[in-house]
Amino acid sequence: MKKIIVTLLLIVIIVSQLFAETGTVTLYYENGTVSYTDTQTFYEFDVQAYIDGGSGSNIFKEGQIYVEYNTSVFGTNVVDNNKIVSITKMGPLAANSGYLYTINPSGGNDTYSDAFSVSFVNAQPYTDTGYDSDTYISNSSSSLTTILRIKMEVSASGSSNLDWPSDVTDINNLFREHDATSSLYTGFSITNAVETTSIVYSNTGDPALPITLKEFSAQYADTGVALSWVTESEVQNLGYVLKRAIIYSDDDFSSYDVIASYQTDDELYGAGTTTEQNTYAYIDKNVKPGVNYSYILEDVDYDGNVVTHDPVNIVIPENLLYENEDFTLGSNYPNPFNPSFTIPFELTRTMDVTINMYDITGKQVMSIMNGSFEARQYQIRVNASSLNSGIYFVRTMIGNEIITQKITLLK
């Protein structure tokens, strides 16, 4: 009898392994944004995923996600009360017309007044030839696949976590691979299925911003990146938060991480309520040569509401090109450029400086500067919008030293 029981257990284990797809489905709730119409306030966010240990060519057969929310912000029973405005299929789900989804109301098996779930299924046979890289789920945490965009109507101001309900059971049975056996994945992770937001509700259009920002700029300095911003007015402004990301390419950024906050840096406290102009400054000393950075400024009011302002970008110049006791000259940046570039140098005493630009034939196409300059740092911004694309040479003469750098204009 014991042998029979052991044999049966082994069969169950083997069958379970045969019908289980290798990899852990890992979910993220990300990219929350608030928007307004003349009469309503909305919040929307992305559902993203990757398969840890997956092949990189996995296709979802079916899946189900749950979202729990703060009823004081969104109201109760958002499905029954038509507070879910839209659910948009994204990425692989949009690329394959076979995907269908349903929103599960509060009745039936989903008896939550503060949560809802979305189910999707791929009705297209797995043997079809229409599957390609656009329909695959990523297997890398650094390249998440967006599968859904959910938009909800907001009922009142407040803070809310949109996350996975703690009392949902059988979560390992929610996602299947699109293959001959519709096999379950071997694991499921919801640790990152959470998005925290603070929302200002308005039924009269976009509410007044807590500050009127005149300018926000980033300049390279010897000690790092000098960030500065000017406000024309402030309303119940508690303080500022600065965030930084690395730009790898035009459409590839790292995440924005906090580098300074009013909670840790006294110089980032706001002015409360004022109609006077105020100027703020902060130096980011933790930057590296040759790296392209993006900075965003957030202001926080007394109620904890956050407003994010447009980013500013800056390229940190490469290591010094030339240095002696009288001056230092850095590499021109960015290179290639369009249409402007910067020439960084520093003088330790008053010196004559002449900088000209030449094309590949040796013809002078621009006189950038010529004169006597006092001891200090310089960041000479050169606008070459009148020139054609091509290779140019920047000839810098400081005192008796002459340094020539090649630079490329790409339009």
Side-chain angles (χ1 to χ4, degrees), residues 165-349:
S166 60
D167 48 356
V168 174
T169 59
D170 296 327
I171 63 174
N172 289 327
N173 296 323
L174 296 179
F175 280 79
R176 293 181 180 272
E177 163 72 356
H178 202 30
D179 57 15
T181 60
S182 295
S183 50
L184 289 165
Y185 287 91
T186 54
F188 189 62
S189 172
I190 56 173
T191 303
N192 298 298
V194 56
E195 177 75 339
T196 302
T197 182
S198 181
I199 300 173
V200 178
Y201 172 79
S202 172
N203 58 6
T204 58
D206 196 344
L209 299 178
I211 72 167
T212 301
L213 185 66
K214 181 180 180 180
E215 64 181 59
F216 175 43
S217 63
Q219 298 289 330
Y220 176 69
D222 183 51
T223 54
V225 174
L227 300 164
S228 63
W229 57 102
V230 180
T231 61
E232 294 285 13
S233 63
E234 302 179 34
V235 178
Q236 295 186 344
N237 183 31
L238 178 59
Y240 299 94
V241 177
L242 288 166
K243 295 182 176 181
R244 182 188 66 201
I246 297 175
I247 304 175
Y248 302 113
S249 65
D250 290 341
D251 56 357
D252 187 10
F253 286 58
S254 72
S255 60
Y256 281 93
D257 296 321
V258 175
I259 60 169
S261 168
Y262 68 94
Q263 296 175 315
T264 55
D265 300 273
D266 290 345
E267 64 265 40
L268 298 189
Y269 271 111
T273 298
T274 179
T275 57
E276 296 182 356
Q277 187 177 98
N278 283 278
T279 300
Y280 300 86
Y282 180 84
I283 296 180
D284 179 15
K285 299 179 180 179
N286 189 25
V287 294
K288 297 180 180 179
V291 177
N292 193 354
Y293 292 104
S294 179
Y295 293 89
I296 58 175
L297 174 71
E298 295 180 343
D299 62 79
V300 184
D301 70 13
Y302 290 160
D303 294 326
N305 301 310
V306 179
V307 175
T308 302
H309 299 275
D310 292 338
V312 295
N313 301 335
I314 185 172
V315 178
I316 308 303
E318 296 285 355
N319 293 330
L320 293 175
L321 182 70
Y322 187 90
E323 181 177 16
N324 63 23
E325 62 181 9
D326 295 323
F327 70 91
T328 57
L329 175 67
S331 298
N332 301 334
Y333 69 92
N335 188 13
F337 71 96
N338 180 28
S340 301
F341 65 93
T342 299
I343 305 172
F345 65 92
E346 181 178 5
L347 304 179
T348 60
R349 62 181 179 85

